[in-house]
């Protein structure tokens, strides 16, 4: 089948080759001229563009030439990947998944209690979020390693935005309803992006901006935990570093509880030590994984036996038992809170999506298996929609738990199912045992968990590679810690988009020279030994030419021409007669770009300089031909290569040896 498709493609290529027209100078070195691709009709052109934008990964490839029954099974498997890998599942894989599931469960239970506090909801809702969503993801997700549940950054963002609308202490029921509404719209957003194949939208958040945002969020989360770590009762509701530190120091003489401080610091030191051991010896990853649960058990026993809660140590107190209750009737389907919930949900959903897809791709690369970003978005969306109806807050992929899942030897998403079953057992039986768990230990667990979000190594690498990227990192970082998580996120997006616009509107234009002994022309900044051809100025445009940069490109080329002529006159050399534009990097051009080339041709002609085009791509060539620019400049001034253009324009220059 494959050979037949290849041969058919060759037949198509050969038939197209017979239709290709040619333009340009006949005196090329190899006897080749610039080819003009056959014109496509409007429908085929639009269909090709649409397919490339939305279906570049050819998701229906496996359905080709398959019988109807096979297509039906592939269709089910497309939406539920579990149908595919379940057929090859065996006891050996289950053993790995069982160990991994139990390991991440021991980590997620104390984390869920802490992340629920970040979202300003009761602890049981954090546990609920590690029960229903992971089960749905296990059936629909394509990642084998990602561990699902509430995460620190999204929980903080959710809690911060929700409390701006409703006070969680004065109106807890209304606050909870808005949280479920936001979770519902987070799911709708994620599922819609997956179904409409608009996953490329999340790529507008650059890696540098994400690194800065995550680091800022980690510090903000850590600062928020000072309330539990120090036993402070009156604490600011703001998240910026100035307000938090003012609140901490204003309570230093009468608000801190020394027993709480001792408990918090001792267990924080224990948790950080186990993380350090695990980072140095990968085989001991389980030490850091079970450390949070050990901390909870030991601290709970200590508080219960010493009754430290009567000495001012804040404890978790009551956690409701039982499986997730339905929350369909609690979602705001009408009213003013519907729009507010949608706004919060869209923001939280996008952040969760960015984190989950990045985690999924990371581990898929490590294990060398394919992952479909759009399927991931659909799975995350459906699980959050279902979660909003079963008393869950926004869930996504957790990096710390996914890393533990990977290190523990998980093979499939069954590890998520095992984790869910352990959480189910916890909410049905064990939750009363958490009554005496000190809040200081929960705070210590959260601080140790978010410490890994501060990636100093990545920040140093970004500084070395790209200073503009580092500026985006700093903008997102300082926006989060000095203002709020929403502002930091907004700055991260704004700086990422600004960088794209800067690169599009101000593309690089390079001066080319000939490498001695060759017919190769390269950037003289990169190759200082490359020499300039007498009477010829060779420039390369390193971008598509659109309305946003066309005028800049024209003016920058004219400036190059002016500066080079001034330099030539100073040295008494022959004046420039030819301006060669190397257009191989120019992937596309619009009508404004063509108009700028026409103006450039007019201006250069007045200055007695002939404009020459070298190596235009198929799309550019087609548009230049359609706009009659080829006739304007003359067929004899369009060449296949720069070497051909130089040979025709300055035949006496030769190749410098």
């Amino acid at each position: 089948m494959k050979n037949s498709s290849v041969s058919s493609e060759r037949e198509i290529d050969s038939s197209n080759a017979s239709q290709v027209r040619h333009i340009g100078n006949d005196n090329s070195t190899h006897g080749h001229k610039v080819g003009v691709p056959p014109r496509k009709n409007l429908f085929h052109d639009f269909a090709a563009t649409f397919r490339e934008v939305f279906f570049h990964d050819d998701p229906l490839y496996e359905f080709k030439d398959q019988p109807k029954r096979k297509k039906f099974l592939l269709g089910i498997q497309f939406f539920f990947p579990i149908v595919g890998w379940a057929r090859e599942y065996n006891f050996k894989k289950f053993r790995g998944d069982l160990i991994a599931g139990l390991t991440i469960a021991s980590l997620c239970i104390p984390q869920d209690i802490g992340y629920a506090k970040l979202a300003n909801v009761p602890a049981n809702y954090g546990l609920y979020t590690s029960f229903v969503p992971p089960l749905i993801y296990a059936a629909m997700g394509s990642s084998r390693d990602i561990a699902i549940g509430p995460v620190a950054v999204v929980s903080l963002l959710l809690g911060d935005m929700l409390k701006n609308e409703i006070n969680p202490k004065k109106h807890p029921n209304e606050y909870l309803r808005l949280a479920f509404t936001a979770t519902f719209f987070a799911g709708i957003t994620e599922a819609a992006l997956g179904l409409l194949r608009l996953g490329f939208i999340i790529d507008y958040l650059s890696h540098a901006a994400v690194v800065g945002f995550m680091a800022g969020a980690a510090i903000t989360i850590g600062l928020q935990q000072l309330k539990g770590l120090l036993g402070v009762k009156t604490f600011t509701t703001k998240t910026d570093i100035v307000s938090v530190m003012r609140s901490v120091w204003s309570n230093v003489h009468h608000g801190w509880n020394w027993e709480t401080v001792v408990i918090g610091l001792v267990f924080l030191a224990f948790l950080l030590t186990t993380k350090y051991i695990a980072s140095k010896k990968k085989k001991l990853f389980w030490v850091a994984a079970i450390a949070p649960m050990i901390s909870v058990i030991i601290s709970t026993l200590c508080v219960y036996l010493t009754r430290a809660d009567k000495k001012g140590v804040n404890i978790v107190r009551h956690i409701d038992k039982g499986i997730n209750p339905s929350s369909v009737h609690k979602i705001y389907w009408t009213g003013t809170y519907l729009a507010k919930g949608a706004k919060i949900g869209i923001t939280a959903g996008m952040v969760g999506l960015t984190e989950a897809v990045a985690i999924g791709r990371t581990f898929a690369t490590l294990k060398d298996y394919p992952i479909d970003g759009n399927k991931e978005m659909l799975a995350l969306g459906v699980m959050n929609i279902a979660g909003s109806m079963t008393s869950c807050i926004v869930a996504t992929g957790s990096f710390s738990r996914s890393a533990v899942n990977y290190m523990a030897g998980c093979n499939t998403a069954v590890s998520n199912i095992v984790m869910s079953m352990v959480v189910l057992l916890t909410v049905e039986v064990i939750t009363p045992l958490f009554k005496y768990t000190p809040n200081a230990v929960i705070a210590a667990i959260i601080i140790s968990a978010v410490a890994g979000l501060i990636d100093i190594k990545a920040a140093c690498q970004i500084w070395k590679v790209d200073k503009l990227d580092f500026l985006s990192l700093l903008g997102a970082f300082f926006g989060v810690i000095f203002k709020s998580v929403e502002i930091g996120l907004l700055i991260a997006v704004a700086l990422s988009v600004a960088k794209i616009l800067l690169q599009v509107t101000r593309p690089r234009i390079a001066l080319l020279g000939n490498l001695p002994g060759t017919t190769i022309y390269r950037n003289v900044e990169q190759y200082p030994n490359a020499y300039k051809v007498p009477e010829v100025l060779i420039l390369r445009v390193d971008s598509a030419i659109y309305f946003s940069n066309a005028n800049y490109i024209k003016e920058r080329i004219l400036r190059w021409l002016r500066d080079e002529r001034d330099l030539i006159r100073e040295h008494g050399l022959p004046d420039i007669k030819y301006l060669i534009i190397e257009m191989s990097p120019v992937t596309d051009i619009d009508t404004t770009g063509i108009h700028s080339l026409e103006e450039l041709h007019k201006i250069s002609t007045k200055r007695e300089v002939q404009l020459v085009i070298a190596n235009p791509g198929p799309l550019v060539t087609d548009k230049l031909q359609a706009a009659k620019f080829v006739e304007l400049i003359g067929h004899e001034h369009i060449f296949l290569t720069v070497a051909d253009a130089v040979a025709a324009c300055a035949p006496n220059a030769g190749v410098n040896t």
Side-chain angles (χ1 to χ4, degrees), residues 15-32:
S15 64
N16 283 343
S18 63
Q19 301 173 24
V20 173
R21 297 165 291 143
H22 296 87
I23 60 173
N25 196 291
D26 292 325
N27 300 321
S28 63
T29 307
H30 305 289
H32 297 297

Side-chain angles (χ1 to χ4, degrees), residues 325-496:
S326 172
S327 55
V328 177
H329 60 287
K330 292 184 178 180
I331 297 174
Y332 285 110
W333 300 109
T334 58
T336 56
Y337 286 130
L338 175 65
K340 292 177 180 178
K343 181 188 74 172
I344 297 168
I346 290 169
T347 306
M350 292 294 286
V351 174
L353 203 57
T354 303
E355 189 171 356
V357 172
I359 293 167
R361 286 173 178 169
T362 299
F363 290 106
T365 302
L366 290 174
K367 284 191 174 180
D368 191 25
Y369 63 85
I371 186 170
D372 189 328
N374 290 295
K375 283 183 185 177
E376 286 295 285
M377 294 174 194
L378 180 60
L380 292 166
V382 172
M383 79 178 190
N384 274 316
I385 292 171
S388 70
M389 299 178 181
T390 51
S391 301
C392 300
I393 56 175
V394 179
T396 187
S398 165
F399 188 81
S400 60
R401 273 172 270 170
S402 299
V404 170
N405 198 27
Y406 169 79
M407 295 295 291
C410 71
N411 295 299
T412 67
V414 169
S415 60
N416 273 295
I417 298 174
V418 173
M419 180 190 71
S420 292
M421 294 301 102
V422 175
V423 172
L424 173 62
L425 179 66
T426 302
V427 296
E428 286 284 12
V429 180
I430 305 174
T431 48
L433 300 178
F434 292 113
K435 179 180 178 180
Y436 290 100
T437 302
N439 287 331
V441 169
I442 300 299
I445 290 170
I446 294 174
I447 291 172
S448 66
V450 299
L453 296 177
I454 304 174
D455 197 341
I456 297 174
K457 185 178 178 181
C460 292
Q461 180 72 7
I462 291 167
W463 166 256
K464 290 177 183 177
V465 174
D466 193 326
K467 301 298 187 289
L468 195 60
D469 257 1
F470 190 74
L471 186 63
S472 297
L473 184 153
L474 289 180
F477 176 76
F478 287 121
V480 173
I481 66 172
F482 282 108
K483 194 63 180 174
S484 67
V485 180
E486 309 99 280
I487 296 298
L489 180 61
L490 184 62
I491 291 173
V493 174
L495 290 174
S496 298

Side-chain angles (χ1 to χ4, degrees), residues 511 532-539 557 559-569 573-580 604 607-611:
L511 176 64
K532 300 175 187 177
V533 179
E535 302 182 3
V536 177
L537 176 63
I538 309 170
L539 298 175
I557 290 173
R559 203 173 95 202
W560 268 114
L561 180 61
R562 182 200 67 193
D563 292 345
E564 287 297 311
R565 295 184 94 175
D566 289 345
L567 189 64
I568 284 170
R569 289 185 186 117
L573 298 172
D575 199 4
I576 293 173
K577 294 181 181 178
Y578 295 95
L579 171 61
I580 300 176
S604 60
R607 298 181 184 180
E608 298 181 349
V609 176
Q610 176 60 53
L611 179 64

